[in-house]
Amino acid sequence: MRKSKLERLSVILPVYNAENYIDQCLESITKQNYSNLEIIIVDDGSTDNSRYHIKRYAEQDERIKFYFQRNKGVAAARNFALQYATGEWITFCDSDDIVPNGSYRKMIDKGNKSHADVVVGALEIRSEKET
C-alpha cells in the first residue's frame, strides 16, 4: 500500500501589538503534531516588541515566513499573506489564540475524508484569569 503525501497547511497569522501573548500562540502552532506547516506571519505595523518575539521564533523554525507592512488592519494583513501561501489547505489564526495540539491534523483528516472544501473547528473562549 502506498503512503499518501502529507499535504501542506499554510497557517496565516496577522499580528498587531501582540507582545504579551505571541509567544504562547507561536509555541502552540510550532509544536503541532502535524509537521507539514508553513507559518506566514504578517506584522501589521506593531509599535510594541512583537517583531522581536516573531524574529526569535523565525530564526529557530524555517517553516516561519515573516513579513512586515504598515498598519492596514487584520483583513489587509490576511489578504497580504494569502499571496505567499503554498499549502493545499489554509487556516487563519489570531495572535492571541492558542491552538491545541492535534487540531490541525484532525481538521485536515476530516476534510480529506469528507472531500470538503472548508473545515471549521471548535472554539473555546477563556479569559486571561483562566489560563
Side-chain angles (χ1 to χ4, degrees):
M1 182 196 301
R2 209 174 83 205
K3 191 174 184 177
S4 63
K5 151 181 125 76
L6 194 60
E7 295 172 302
R8 177 173 286 209
L9 173 66
S10 298
V11 179
I12 293 178
L13 178 62
V15 174
Y16 179 74
N17 289 348
E19 71 177 315
N20 292 331
Y21 33 82
I22 191 64
D23 287 339
Q24 281 186 297
C25 178
L26 287 172
E27 194 72 19
S28 74
I29 294 170
T30 59
K31 301 297 186 200
Q32 286 291 309
N33 66 357
Y34 192 84
S35 60
N36 196 7
L37 302 174
E38 68 177 352
I39 304 158
I40 304 168
I41 303 171
V42 178
D43 183 333
D44 188 39
S46 292
T47 57
D48 65 0
N49 289 316
S50 295
R51 208 170 313 152
Y52 164 79
H53 294 268
I54 296 165
K55 284 181 180 179
R56 197 178 73 229
Y57 272 86
E59 289 170 359
Q60 298 171 7
D61 195 323
E62 64 187 17
R63 299 173 299 171
I64 295 175
K65 298 176 186 177
F66 177 46
Y67 302 94
F68 177 84
Q69 70 177 20
R70 289 188 342 195
N71 183 254
K72 297 179 184 177
V74 67
R78 286 180 178 144
N79 287 333
F80 178 85
L82 281 169
Q83 69 184 315
Y84 297 104
T86 63
E88 288 84 8
W89 291 95
I90 296 174
T91 190
F92 298 97
C93 185
D94 290 331
S95 57
D96 61 347
D97 290 346
I98 297 172
V99 183
N101 195 17
S103 297
Y104 292 150
R105 178 175 294 284
K106 286 179 189 175
M107 292 174 73
I108 289 173
D109 288 348
K110 287 187 184 264
N112 285 333
K113 186 176 180 179
S114 63
H115 306 286
D117 292 325
V118 176
V119 177
V120 179
L123 170 70
E124 181 179 335
I125 299 173
R126 294 185 181 184
S127 71
E128 288 184 22
K129 293 177 186 175
E130 294 177 89
T131 57

